[in-house]
Every structure is written in structure tokens, then in C-alpha cells.
């Protein structure tokens, strides 16, 4: 499989893209690389992808009720698949509750 960075570099429209555009393109590429031919992920695959690719954001969140709710929803009804839009909602939800987000907010932007 082709590395994400190489796939990202091959997208001509992103040649002079912003950091935010590249971040979203990276999320889309990670999802697409894991998705089935219909562009969807099983709930088990979604959980695995989050645990391998989003570990920094979910680490230490295990005891938070919202995190438990999200993960238990992925454990239920495993025949239902997740599309890209639902995956992005999961990413945003997990990001908003994470301890890492607070650390990111505290990063100094000037010298």
C-alpha cells in the first residue's frame, strides 16, 4: 500500500493547500484506505482504526461516559457499517472530549 504522505502529495489541488485542508485530506485518505469498495467500514473496523490511528486522542478517555457510549455503540449492531460522514462525526466527538485537545489549546503560538 502507498504511504498516506505520498498519496497526499499526489493530490494536485493540495499542492498549495492550507494545513487544515491537508489535515482533512489526510483523514479522508486514512478512511478510504481502510474502507470497503462501497466506501464504508464495519463498526469493528472503525473501532480498530480509531485505536490505531487516533490513539493520542482517545488515550486516557476510557472512563468518560461519552467515550464509553461511543465505543459501546461500535460494539453493538456490528452488521451496520459506518460511512465517511459518520466517521468524521466520531473523530470530532472524540477530539472534543480528549485531554490532548486541552494540551493543543495550551500550545504557545508565539515566541
Amino acid at each position: 500500500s502507498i504511504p498516506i504522505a505520498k498519496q497526499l502529495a499526489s493530490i494536485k489541488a493540495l499542492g498549495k493547500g492550507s494545513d487544515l485542508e491537508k489535515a482533512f485530506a489526510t483523514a479522508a485518505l486514512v478512511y478510504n484506505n481502510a474502507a470497503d469498495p462501497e466506501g464504508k467500514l464495519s463498526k469493528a473496523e472503525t473501532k480498530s482504526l480509531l485505536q490505531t490511528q487516533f490513539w493520542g486522542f482517545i488515550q486516557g478517555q476510557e472512563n468518560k461516559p461519552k467515550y464509553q457510549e461511543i465505543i459501546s455503540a461500535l460494539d453493538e449492531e456490528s452488521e451496520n457499517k459506518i460511512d465517511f460522514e459518520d466517521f468524521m462525526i466520531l473523530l470530532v466527538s472524540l477530539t472534543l472530549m480528549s485531554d490532548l485537545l486541552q494540551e493543543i489549546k495550551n500550545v504557545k503560538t508565539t515566541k
Side-chain angles (χ1 to χ4, degrees):
S1 105
I2 300 169
I4 296 291
K6 197 168 201 174
Q7 290 178 36
L8 195 61
S10 74
I11 303 170
K12 288 184 171 71
L14 289 176
K16 293 186 176 165
S18 70
D19 291 339
L20 189 56
E21 289 170 321
K22 289 176 183 175
F24 270 86
T26 298
L29 286 169
V30 168
Y31 177 88
N32 287 339
N33 285 335
D36 66 17
E38 295 175 356
K40 296 188 176 187
L41 288 174
S42 72
K43 288 188 173 185
E45 290 166 330
T46 300
K47 184 177 176 181
S48 175
L49 188 62
L50 290 170
Q51 290 172 330
T52 59
Q53 291 287 323
F54 216 57
W55 177 246
F57 281 92
I58 62 175
Q59 183 177 353
Q61 307 310 302
E62 297 83 5
N63 294 326
K64 292 184 178 178
K66 184 67 177 166
Y67 174 84
Q68 291 173 350
E69 180 184 321
I70 290 170
I71 295 305
S72 65
L74 292 175
D75 289 334
E76 297 168 6
E77 303 175 40
S78 59
E79 69 278 355
N80 293 347
K81 294 199 169 190
I82 304 268
D83 61 16
F84 180 67
E85 291 80 7
D86 289 337
F87 181 75
M88 291 303 291
I89 291 167
L90 284 173
L91 283 184
V92 170
S93 298
L94 290 168
T95 301
L96 290 173
M97 77 174 79
S98 74
D99 297 331
L100 182 54
L101 180 60
Q102 194 55 50
E103 189 176 326
I104 291 166
K105 286 179 178 181
N106 292 334
V107 169
K108 300 278 185 252
T109 56
T110 58
K111 291 183 178 182

